[in-house]
Amino acid sequence: MYTFTEENYLKAIYHLSENTKKGAATNAIAERLNTKAASVTDMLKKLSDKKLLVYKKYQGVNLTDLGKTVAIKTVRKHRLWEVFLVNKLEFGWEEVHEIAEQLEHIQSTKLTDKLDEFLAFPKYDPHGDPIPNKDLVFPNRTDQTLTECSLNDIVIVKGVKDTSADFLNYLKKLNLGLGEELEILEKEDYDNSMKVKINGGSLLNLSHQVCANLFVITK
Amino acid sequence: MYTFTEENYLKAIYHLSENTKKGAATNAIAERLNTKAASVTDMLKKLSDKKLLVYKKYQGVNLTDLGKTVAIKTVRKHRLWEVFLVNKLEFGWEEVHEIAEQLEHIQSTKLTDKLDEFLAFPKYDPHGDPIPNKDLVFPNRTDQTLTECSLNDIVIVKGVKDTSADFLNYLKKLNLGLGEELEILEKEDYDNSMKVKINGGSLLNLSHQVCANLFVITK
DNA sequence: TGTAATATTTAGATTTGCCTAAATTTAAAC
DNA sequence: GTTTAAATTTAGGCAAATCTAAATATTACA
Ligand SMILES: [Mn+2]
Ligand SMILES: [Mn+2]
Ligand SMILES: [Mn+2]
Ligand SMILES: [Mn+2]
């Protein structure tokens, strides 16, 4: 449907617009894609003709709904392949991006969805970035557990996955409740435990089991 | 290293030269790649410049060792991905070719080799075609078991994988020995059993266990 | 062996995506 | 408010891969 290049442009513009309200700047796109501003201008006109984005000279660009859909589909594929490479093929999380940049352009919705299923519908990629589902909906941030957070993240405890009395009592014993702020100081590879700082004060070691049962939002 | 298009040309020429000794004809290549003879001629000159094949006007082409290596690497990737799609993602064997045509161009030797390992170093793809190993060596034909053969194949029994007395006695009881010719009449999806005709005569039902322990060569 | 049919190559163009250099617009600084 | 700097766009061109139409070579066969 769309070319390799078109998908890369749309994904770059999508990421550049993620935080800011303003349209993506020509120079910023060029830098992200390791190309020249003049090439970007050429391409923006073509993508505009195809109704994938709205372009006004000198004003930067914004994706249309169609453009956003294509971009998010590409992000979905990219992140699913990264999960595959790390979880199934035992790649390191630092070496998968490059390969996923290629795999994200494979055209087959069925493949993407079967891969998603094979991976047990992961919500986050190896870098902690959220993976949109088949309907292109991103996971609710409150679905994220502490396990899925990255080193140095600062998060707020929003809920528990395990609602057993045992778990809740243990949390009380740790002085760990809803609304607490946690800073991830260490992630131990050996047993997936974490060292965290609570409310900028005391330190705590949390086992993998605890981390996996705490819903948090990233600050 | 090589483009999508270059790999496709080399693979096509490789397959066309597989049986015949003669070089691949321009028209045959064009047909295989759904393109025009004139485009093929253009491309052959470029591939010749890159020492991937030997081209003499009007004489057809033959791959150089380098060209053959690139072609076989591509075949390896294609067939490994097909195994992945069928064995891991549960695609039907009839729907994987198209997707593998895309996946075969992903550039990463490490990925290919890790995928190979993840799939437990398969020797044949879902269509029964042999998969070259990391060193680009094709499996010895005598490594092929009856299980890996396709419907209507006619094969010769060349050996047994299970050398237990139990198995050999059972074979004797079935009147099935080395040198016998088997025609595969049916492959039962339910239990992977096969109905075969022995030496053009009597019919036999062989369980999956039996098939998986018979080394054969395709006639 | 000469002619017709077939295969192949050349010529001239097109599309996609990219580049450099020059011109133009917008934003920043004085 | 000019002037200057930065961002962006235009102009002109190039390489890869393709196409159609025309020219040439090979092969088939009368
Ligand atoms: Mn990535
Ligand atoms: Mn990622
Ligand atoms: Mn195939
Ligand atoms: Mn195959």
Side-chain angles (χ1 to χ4, degrees):
Chain A
M1 197 65 172
Y2 297 100
T3 68
F4 194 102
T5 309
E6 286 169 338
E7 287 187 343
N8 281 336
Y9 268 89
L10 294 172
K11 191 160 69 97
I13 295 164
Y14 173 77
H15 282 135
L16 287 168
S17 316
E18 245 175 336
N19 299 311
T20 67
K21 292 282 171 217
K22 320 216 67 182
T26 305
N27 262 355
I29 298 168
E31 192 182 11
R32 241 189 129 85
L33 295 175
N34 286 308
T35 185
K36 297 297 152 72
S39 307
V40 172
T41 302
D42 276 355
M43 197 64 183
L44 292 182
K45 286 180 195 157
K46 292 175 193 164
L47 294 174
S48 178
D49 289 346
K50 293 188 178 182
K51 314 282 183 204
L52 289 161
L53 48 80
V54 179
Y55 170 66
K56 276 200 209 96
K57 275 194 205 174
Y58 295 98
Q59 297 311 124
V61 286
N62 288 100
L63 296 179
T64 60
D65 284 352
L66 175 59
K68 207 171 294 177
T69 295
V70 176
I72 294 177
K73 278 184 182 171
T74 308
V75 167
R76 170 169 157 81
K77 288 186 280 179
H78 182 103
R79 293 179 180 168
L80 282 174
W81 281 115
E82 286 190 342
V83 172
F84 171 71
L85 294 172
V86 169
N87 291 8
K88 300 292 182 179
L89 299 197
E90 299 181 299
F91 273 86
W93 65 280
E94 75 288 351
E95 52 187 344
V96 297
H97 185 80
E98 251 191 318
I99 303 176
E101 280 298 318
Q102 298 179 62
L103 286 164
E104 72 188 358
H105 303 293
I106 302 292
Q107 309 266 4
S108 166
T109 306
K110 186 167 180 183
L111 170 60
T112 307
D113 294 340
K114 288 225 171 213
L115 180 66
D116 194 12
E117 185 184 353
F118 180 62
L119 299 171
F121 306 105
K123 290 213 172 71
Y124 297 90
D125 83 0
H127 313 101
D129 295 313
I131 302 175
N133 69 12
K134 192 175 158 56
D135 299 324
L136 306 188
V137 176
F138 282 91
N140 191 318
R141 269 287 155 193
T142 61
D143 286 350
Q144 186 179 28
T145 65
L146 190 52
T147 309
E148 293 145 352
C149 299
S150 305
L151 195 61
N152 300 323
D153 277 1
I154 298 182
V155 304
I156 306 284
V157 178
K158 278 293 169 187
V160 290
K161 194 170 186 178
D162 174 3
T163 57
S164 73
D166 280 352
F167 184 51
L168 299 178
N169 281 328
Y170 180 51
L171 290 181
K172 182 173 283 181
K173 194 163 144 193
L174 294 175
N175 275 320
L176 225 170
L178 298 190
E180 307 283 25
E181 180 184 291
L182 305 180
E183 180 180 355
I184 301 176
L185 301 178
E186 285 180 28
K187 292 184 79 169
E188 181 54 54
D189 277 340
Y190 173 63
D191 61 0
N192 291 308
S193 67
M194 284 183 177
K195 182 190 272 184
V196 299
K197 182 186 282 182
I198 306 188
N199 289 324
S202 57
L203 303 182
L204 211 53
N205 247 76
L206 300 178
S207 71
H208 175 67
Q209 195 176 348
V210 170
C211 297
N213 282 299
L214 287 176
F215 287 128
V216 299
I217 57 168
T218 308
K219 245 193 139 178
Chain B
M1 197 64 172
Y2 297 100
T3 69
F4 195 99
T5 310
E6 286 169 338
E7 287 186 344
N8 281 336
Y9 268 89
L10 294 172
K11 192 160 68 97
I13 295 165
Y14 173 78
H15 282 136
L16 286 168
S17 316
E18 246 176 335
N19 300 311
T20 68
K21 293 282 171 215
K22 319 217 66 182
T26 305
N27 262 355
I29 298 168
E31 192 182 11
R32 240 189 129 86
L33 296 175
N34 287 307
T35 184
K36 297 297 153 70
S39 308
V40 172
T41 301
D42 277 355
M43 197 64 183
L44 293 182
K45 285 179 195 160
K46 291 177 193 165
L47 294 173
S48 178
D49 288 346
K50 294 188 178 184
K51 314 284 183 202
L52 290 162
L53 49 78
V54 179
Y55 170 64
K56 275 200 210 97
K57 276 194 202 176
Y58 295 99
Q59 298 311 124
V61 287
N62 287 99
L63 296 180
T64 59
D65 284 352
L66 175 59
K68 207 172 294 176
T69 295
V70 176
I72 295 177
K73 278 184 182 170
T74 308
V75 167
R76 170 169 158 79
K77 289 186 281 179
H78 181 104
R79 292 180 180 167
L80 283 173
W81 280 115
E82 285 189 343
V83 172
F84 171 72
L85 294 172
V86 169
N87 292 8
K88 300 293 180 179
L89 298 197
E90 300 180 299
F91 274 86
W93 65 280
E94 76 288 351
E95 52 186 345
V96 297
H97 185 81
E98 250 192 318
I99 302 176
E101 280 298 318
Q102 298 179 62
L103 286 164
E104 73 188 359
H105 303 293
I106 302 292
Q107 309 267 5
S108 166
T109 306
K110 186 167 180 181
L111 170 60
T112 307
D113 294 339
K114 286 224 172 215
L115 180 66
D116 195 12
E117 185 185 352
F118 180 61
L119 299 172
F121 306 106
K123 291 214 171 71
Y124 297 90
D125 84 359
H127 312 101
D129 294 314
I131 303 175
N133 69 12
K134 192 174 158 54
D135 299 323
L136 307 188
V137 176
F138 282 90
N140 192 317
R141 269 285 155 198
T142 61
D143 285 351
Q144 187 180 27
T145 65
L146 190 52
T147 308
E148 293 145 352
C149 299
S150 305
L151 195 61
N152 300 322
D153 278 1
I154 298 182
V155 304
I156 306 283
V157 178
K158 278 294 169 184
V160 292
K161 195 170 186 177
D162 174 2
T163 57
S164 74
D166 280 353
F167 183 51
L168 298 177
N169 281 328
Y170 181 51
L171 290 182
K172 182 173 283 180
K173 195 164 146 192
L174 294 176
N175 274 321
L176 222 169
L178 298 191
E180 307 282 26
E181 181 184 290
L182 305 180
E183 181 179 355
I184 301 176
L185 301 178
E186 285 181 28
K187 291 185 78 170
E188 181 53 53
D189 277 341
Y190 173 64
D191 61 0
N192 291 307
S193 67
M194 286 183 176
K195 181 189 274 184
V196 300
K197 181 186 283 182
I198 306 189
N199 290 323
S202 58
L203 303 182
L204 210 53
N205 248 75
L206 300 177
S207 70
H208 174 67
Q209 196 177 347
V210 170
C211 298
N213 282 301
L214 287 176
F215 287 128
V216 299
I217 57 169
T218 309
K219 246 194 140 177

